[in-house]
Amino acid sequence: MQSPLFNYTEQQSQDRYTVQNPQLLRVSLTGHEDILARKGAMVAYQGLMEFDGEYQSHGQRRARASTGEGLDLMRCSGQGTVYLANLAQYVHVVDVDHDGMTVDSAYVLALDSSLHTEVIAVDSQYGISGTGKYQLNISGSGKVALMTSGQPLMLQVTPDKYVNADADAIVAWSSSLRVQMQAQTHSSGVMRRRGDTGEGWELSFLGQGFALVQPSEVLPPQGAQIGQGLAAQFGMGQQGSHAQNQNNAWN
């Protein structure tokens, strides 16, 4: 049998995480350390592998219920290779160090089981209930595989060069940055989008670090769930700024 498809054979690497192609992640397990992956993200595996639902503590369940932010994970263990993907989104491997990383949970494909996750709040500058945003803070030392809709843009933030990003396009940022959610409008019009520009809430980043932005602000199809094998979903997760806009009826 002959076909150009044979150009897409598996990548050979000694690394634990390897981007097999821009939209597929290859993870090698030796039996010594497990990884946590988004439920339903496994597309293939080789070797003696096991997949189990990941236990959530009472605090994690309570935070998920009150904020909507959190991770639906499965534990991948054993010896072999597992291939992970989600709705053909682009995959990027990030080394998390002592500075930590803050991310929307909708963009996490996999992470080392040794990393710690915690839900945090990003408040709006106006202090209006329902106009803030919840994100996931990842700390410790290890690797995280992120997903983006399209090839992303990594912006450097310095004390003399701050960055503003659309709240529906931001994917992740350095946890050391100071962050505030804001709208370029006066307080009496804060519940509305900015005139006829189509622009709404944004996040302002100050300090020293990086901010990752994707080239997409598209709402997901109605009812689509990332990692649940449904129709293609792009843009922010269910608890993104657009979703809060809908759920809280920002008019």
Side-chain angles (χ1 to χ4, degrees), residues 38 68-71 86 89 103-109 135-136 146-148 171 226-227 233 235-240:
R38 180 170 295 276
E69 188 72 18
L71 291 171
N86 189 70
Q89 291 186 298
V103 63
D104 187 302
S105 61
Y107 300 128
V108 177
L109 179 63
Q135 299 289 114
L136 199 68
L146 300 179
M147 306 175 294
T148 62
V171 174
I226 283 185
Q233 171 174 339
M236 292 294 286
Q238 287 186 332
Q239 296 304 315

Short mmCIF file of all heavy atoms in Angstrom, two decimals, residues 38 68-71 86 89 103-109 135-136 146-148 171 226-227 233 235-240:
data_model
loop_
_atom_site.label_atom_id
_atom_site.label_comp_id
_atom_site.label_asym_id
_atom_site.label_seq_id
_atom_site.Cartn_x
_atom_site.Cartn_y
_atom_site.Cartn_z
N ARG A 38 -7.31 15.77 29.73
CA ARG A 38 -8.73 16.10 29.59
C ARG A 38 -9.51 14.84 29.24
O ARG A 38 -9.10 14.04 28.41
CB ARG A 38 -8.90 17.16 28.50
CG ARG A 38 -10.33 17.58 28.25
CD ARG A 38 -10.40 18.78 27.34
NE ARG A 38 -9.79 19.93 27.99
CZ ARG A 38 -10.44 20.72 28.85
NH1 ARG A 38 -11.70 20.48 29.15
NH2 ARG A 38 -9.82 21.74 29.41
N GLY A 68 -17.70 27.48 38.06
CA GLY A 68 -17.72 26.88 36.73
C GLY A 68 -16.34 26.59 36.20
O GLY A 68 -16.18 25.97 35.15
N GLU A 69 -15.30 27.03 36.91
CA GLU A 69 -13.92 26.83 36.46
C GLU A 69 -13.35 25.58 37.12
O GLU A 69 -13.55 25.33 38.30
CB GLU A 69 -13.06 28.03 36.82
CG GLU A 69 -11.67 28.01 36.22
CD GLU A 69 -11.67 28.28 34.73
OE1 GLU A 69 -12.68 28.81 34.22
OE2 GLU A 69 -10.68 27.94 34.07
N GLY A 70 -12.65 24.78 36.36
CA GLY A 70 -12.06 23.56 36.88
C GLY A 70 -11.72 22.62 35.74
O GLY A 70 -11.97 22.93 34.57
N LEU A 71 -11.17 21.47 36.07
CA LEU A 71 -10.75 20.53 35.05
C LEU A 71 -11.47 19.20 35.19
O LEU A 71 -11.53 18.64 36.29
CB LEU A 71 -9.23 20.30 35.15
CG LEU A 71 -8.32 21.47 34.78
CD1 LEU A 71 -6.87 21.14 35.15
CD2 LEU A 71 -8.42 21.77 33.30
N ASN A 86 -7.78 17.35 20.85
CA ASN A 86 -9.12 17.83 21.16
C ASN A 86 -9.60 18.77 20.07
O ASN A 86 -9.09 19.89 19.92
CB ASN A 86 -9.13 18.57 22.51
CG ASN A 86 -10.54 18.91 22.95
OD1 ASN A 86 -11.30 18.03 23.32
ND2 ASN A 86 -10.90 20.18 22.90
N GLN A 89 -7.55 21.28 17.76
CA GLN A 89 -6.93 22.54 18.18
C GLN A 89 -5.41 22.38 18.22
O GLN A 89 -4.87 21.29 18.36
CB GLN A 89 -7.47 22.94 19.55
CG GLN A 89 -8.93 23.37 19.51
CD GLN A 89 -9.39 23.91 20.85
OE1 GLN A 89 -9.39 23.21 21.85
NE2 GLN A 89 -9.80 25.17 20.86
N VAL A 103 -4.45 30.10 33.59
CA VAL A 103 -4.99 29.68 32.31
C VAL A 103 -6.49 29.47 32.44
O VAL A 103 -7.00 29.17 33.53
CB VAL A 103 -4.29 28.39 31.83
CG1 VAL A 103 -4.55 27.24 32.78
CG2 VAL A 103 -4.71 28.02 30.42
N ASP A 104 -7.21 29.64 31.35
CA ASP A 104 -8.60 29.23 31.29
C ASP A 104 -8.60 27.71 31.15
O ASP A 104 -7.94 27.15 30.28
CB ASP A 104 -9.30 29.87 30.09
CG ASP A 104 -10.79 29.61 30.08
OD1 ASP A 104 -11.19 28.44 30.08
OD2 ASP A 104 -11.56 30.59 30.07
N SER A 105 -9.34 27.01 32.01
CA SER A 105 -9.30 25.55 32.02
C SER A 105 -9.73 24.94 30.69
O SER A 105 -9.38 23.80 30.38
CB SER A 105 -10.19 25.01 33.14
OG SER A 105 -11.54 25.40 32.96
N ALA A 106 -10.50 25.68 29.87
CA ALA A 106 -10.93 25.16 28.58
C ALA A 106 -9.77 24.90 27.64
O ALA A 106 -9.92 24.19 26.65
CB ALA A 106 -11.90 26.14 27.92
N TYR A 107 -8.59 25.47 27.94
CA TYR A 107 -7.45 25.34 27.04
C TYR A 107 -6.40 24.35 27.54
O TYR A 107 -5.32 24.28 26.97
CB TYR A 107 -6.80 26.72 26.85
CG TYR A 107 -7.73 27.73 26.25
CD1 TYR A 107 -7.92 28.97 26.85
CD2 TYR A 107 -8.43 27.46 25.09
CE1 TYR A 107 -8.77 29.90 26.31
CE2 TYR A 107 -9.30 28.39 24.54
CZ TYR A 107 -9.46 29.61 25.15
OH TYR A 107 -10.32 30.53 24.60
N VAL A 108 -6.68 23.60 28.59
CA VAL A 108 -5.72 22.63 29.11
C VAL A 108 -6.01 21.25 28.51
O VAL A 108 -7.12 20.72 28.64
CB VAL A 108 -5.79 22.55 30.65
CG1 VAL A 108 -4.84 21.48 31.17
CG2 VAL A 108 -5.45 23.90 31.27
N LEU A 109 -5.01 20.68 27.85
CA LEU A 109 -5.15 19.34 27.28
C LEU A 109 -4.60 18.28 28.23
O LEU A 109 -5.21 17.22 28.40
CB LEU A 109 -4.42 19.26 25.93
CG LEU A 109 -4.44 17.91 25.22
CD1 LEU A 109 -5.87 17.50 24.85
CD2 LEU A 109 -3.56 17.95 23.97
N GLN A 135 -10.34 31.97 36.71
CA GLN A 135 -9.29 31.31 35.96
C GLN A 135 -8.68 30.21 36.83
O GLN A 135 -8.97 30.09 38.03
CB GLN A 135 -8.21 32.30 35.55
CG GLN A 135 -8.69 33.42 34.66
CD GLN A 135 -9.03 32.96 33.26
OE1 GLN A 135 -10.17 33.01 32.85
NE2 GLN A 135 -8.04 32.50 32.51
N LEU A 136 -7.80 29.42 36.23
CA LEU A 136 -7.14 28.32 36.93
C LEU A 136 -5.67 28.65 37.09
O LEU A 136 -4.99 28.93 36.09
CB LEU A 136 -7.32 27.02 36.13
CG LEU A 136 -7.11 25.71 36.88
CD1 LEU A 136 -8.20 25.51 37.92
CD2 LEU A 136 -7.08 24.55 35.90
N LEU A 146 -1.15 22.99 26.39
CA LEU A 146 -2.25 23.91 26.15
C LEU A 146 -2.78 23.75 24.74
O LEU A 146 -2.09 23.25 23.84
CB LEU A 146 -1.79 25.36 26.36
CG LEU A 146 -1.27 25.73 27.74
CD1 LEU A 146 -0.83 27.19 27.75
CD2 LEU A 146 -2.32 25.48 28.81
N MET A 147 -4.01 24.22 24.52
CA MET A 147 -4.63 24.20 23.20
C MET A 147 -5.04 25.61 22.82
O MET A 147 -5.43 26.40 23.67
CB MET A 147 -5.88 23.32 23.20
CG MET A 147 -5.65 21.90 23.70
SD MET A 147 -7.21 20.98 23.81
CE MET A 147 -8.06 21.89 25.12
N THR A 148 -4.93 25.92 21.53
CA THR A 148 -5.42 27.20 21.02
C THR A 148 -6.17 26.97 19.71
O THR A 148 -5.90 26.01 18.99
CB THR A 148 -4.28 28.21 20.76
OG1 THR A 148 -3.40 27.68 19.75
CG2 THR A 148 -3.50 28.50 22.03
N VAL A 171 -5.51 33.27 26.51
CA VAL A 171 -5.46 31.85 26.84
C VAL A 171 -4.79 31.64 28.20
O VAL A 171 -5.32 30.94 29.06
CB VAL A 171 -4.68 31.07 25.76
CG1 VAL A 171 -4.47 29.61 26.17
CG2 VAL A 171 -5.41 31.15 24.43
N ILE A 226 -16.06 20.63 25.26
CA ILE A 226 -14.69 20.24 24.93
C ILE A 226 -14.38 18.89 25.57
O ILE A 226 -14.67 18.66 26.73
CB ILE A 226 -13.69 21.30 25.42
CG1 ILE A 226 -13.72 22.50 24.47
CG2 ILE A 226 -12.28 20.74 25.50
CD1 ILE A 226 -12.70 23.55 24.78
N GLY A 227 -13.80 18.00 24.76
CA GLY A 227 -13.40 16.69 25.26
C GLY A 227 -14.53 15.70 25.36
O GLY A 227 -14.37 14.62 25.91
N GLN A 233 -15.62 22.77 18.59
CA GLN A 233 -15.83 23.93 19.46
C GLN A 233 -14.58 24.76 19.48
O GLN A 233 -13.49 24.23 19.61
CB GLN A 233 -16.17 23.45 20.87
CG GLN A 233 -16.18 24.59 21.88
CD GLN A 233 -16.66 24.10 23.23
OE1 GLN A 233 -17.29 23.08 23.32
NE2 GLN A 233 -16.32 24.81 24.26
N GLY A 235 -12.78 28.84 20.59
CA GLY A 235 -12.92 30.04 21.42
C GLY A 235 -12.90 29.70 22.89
O GLY A 235 -12.42 28.67 23.31
N MET A 236 -13.48 30.57 23.69
CA MET A 236 -13.41 30.45 25.13
C MET A 236 -14.25 29.28 25.61
O MET A 236 -15.15 28.82 24.95
CB MET A 236 -13.93 31.72 25.80
CG MET A 236 -13.03 32.93 25.59
SD MET A 236 -11.44 32.76 26.38
CE MET A 236 -11.88 33.01 28.07
N GLY A 237 -13.95 28.82 26.84
CA GLY A 237 -14.73 27.76 27.47
C GLY A 237 -16.07 28.28 27.94
O GLY A 237 -16.41 29.45 27.80
N GLN A 238 -16.84 27.39 28.55
CA GLN A 238 -18.19 27.75 28.97
C GLN A 238 -18.21 28.87 30.00
O GLN A 238 -19.20 29.58 30.13
CB GLN A 238 -18.88 26.52 29.56
CG GLN A 238 -19.26 25.50 28.50
CD GLN A 238 -20.06 24.38 29.10
OE1 GLN A 238 -19.91 24.06 30.28
NE2 GLN A 238 -20.89 23.77 28.31
N GLN A 239 -17.11 29.03 30.71
CA GLN A 239 -17.06 30.08 31.73
C GLN A 239 -16.26 31.28 31.26
O GLN A 239 -15.80 32.09 32.05
CB GLN A 239 -16.49 29.52 33.04
CG GLN A 239 -17.35 28.44 33.65
CD GLN A 239 -18.76 28.93 33.89
OE1 GLN A 239 -18.95 30.04 34.40
NE2 GLN A 239 -19.75 28.13 33.54
N GLY A 240 -16.03 31.39 29.95
CA GLY A 240 -15.33 32.54 29.40
C GLY A 240 -16.17 33.79 29.47
O GLY A 240 -17.33 33.77 29.89
#
